[in-house]
Amino acid sequence: VDTAPDLTRALNHVLMLEGRALIDPETVRVLIGDGARVLIERAMAATGAPATAEQLERGFGDFLAYYREHIADYSRPFAAVTPTIDELSRRARLAVCTNKPEALSVQLLQQLELAPAFAAIVGGDSLPVRKPDPGHLLGTLAQLEVAAAEAVMVGDSRNDVLAARAAGIPVVAVSFGYTAVPPHQLGADCVIDSFEELPAVLAQL
């Protein structure tokens, strides 16, 4: 899901309350990936002095309160995602493994009517570890009752690739997600430019 528009609005709400300059969506895209706290911390450092512990805690609360109310105002699935997920869910067990909090992940997918396709939705606070720790991905597979040898990870970031590699799972990267590292330099088994390519790639892996 392209969540950058709503994450940007929530982040800029925090920055505005802290008297900081606002950040454009393209900049936010390279800051996403390690959870809201890290996103706020990076944004504060990019717009002035690093956040104090008090600012970070306050900002995190303000961010979550705003984001819950506006989680799917502008967020939409990337092109071809919905039909591809529909197709794959008929012949595989699908799960979401994300560093976004579980409750927010479920809320987002429910509002976009994607949740029924997934047998598990595992957030960054669902387990004691999160990506890039392989335990996050392996814990997700445990909920699916699927072995690592039967799984493939699809992601867009360094954390996704590192978690998959450490778990011994093939990984497909998309070229259109959120990453500060060029997609072809992430070290994935392959990179796709559209979800339409995914079924054929999965058959090869």
Side-chain angles (χ1 to χ4, degrees):
V1 176
D2 186 5
T3 56
D6 291 317
L7 288 172
T8 299
R9 289 164 67 89
L11 181 61
N12 279 333
H13 173 72
V14 172
L15 293 175
M16 180 185 66
L17 292 177
E18 294 294 335
R20 299 294 184 95
L22 306 186
I23 294 184
D24 64 272
E26 291 309 308
T27 300
V28 172
R29 288 177 186 275
V30 302
L31 302 180
I32 294 171
D34 292 294
R37 287 182 185 276
V38 176
L39 176 62
I40 295 166
E41 188 173 23
R42 290 170 177 167
M44 293 286 280
T47 56
T52 64
E54 181 182 353
Q55 286 177 317
L56 190 56
E57 192 63 28
R58 181 172 63 240
F60 183 64
D62 291 336
F63 181 95
L64 290 183
Y66 184 95
Y67 190 55
R68 286 190 191 99
E69 297 299 318
H70 303 278
I71 195 168
D73 286 0
Y74 298 97
S75 296
R76 299 291 181 270
F78 284 104
V81 165
T82 300
T84 301
I85 287 176
D86 288 343
E87 176 187 345
L88 293 177
S89 65
R90 290 192 290 269
R91 51 194 177 96
R93 291 175 62 78
L94 306 183
V96 171
C97 178
T98 175
N99 281 343
K100 185 190 293 289
E102 180 180 326
L104 293 178
S105 304
V106 171
Q107 179 186 346
L108 173 64
L109 293 171
Q110 286 178 338
Q111 288 191 218
L112 295 178
E113 300 181 349
L114 293 173
F118 298 102
I121 300 171
V122 182
D125 56 354
S126 303
L127 300 170
V129 294
R130 59 164 54 188
K131 298 179 296 184
D133 191 301
H136 193 185
L137 187 50
L138 294 172
T140 301
L141 292 178
Q143 292 194 26
L144 284 184
E145 299 182 341
V146 170
E150 301 174 314
V152 177
M153 174 70 167
V154 181
D156 66 354
S157 71
R158 180 175 177 271
N159 282 344
D160 293 325
V161 175
L162 288 175
R165 288 284 178 244
I169 297 172
V171 56
V172 177
V174 301
S175 65
F176 47 83
Y178 309 136
T179 174
V181 179
H184 289 275
Q185 296 178 21
L186 290 172
D189 292 289
C190 63
V191 178
I192 59 174
D193 297 318
S194 168
F195 253 64
E196 291 175 330
E197 303 171 43
L198 186 56
V201 167
L202 293 177
Q204 294 172 3
L205 292 175

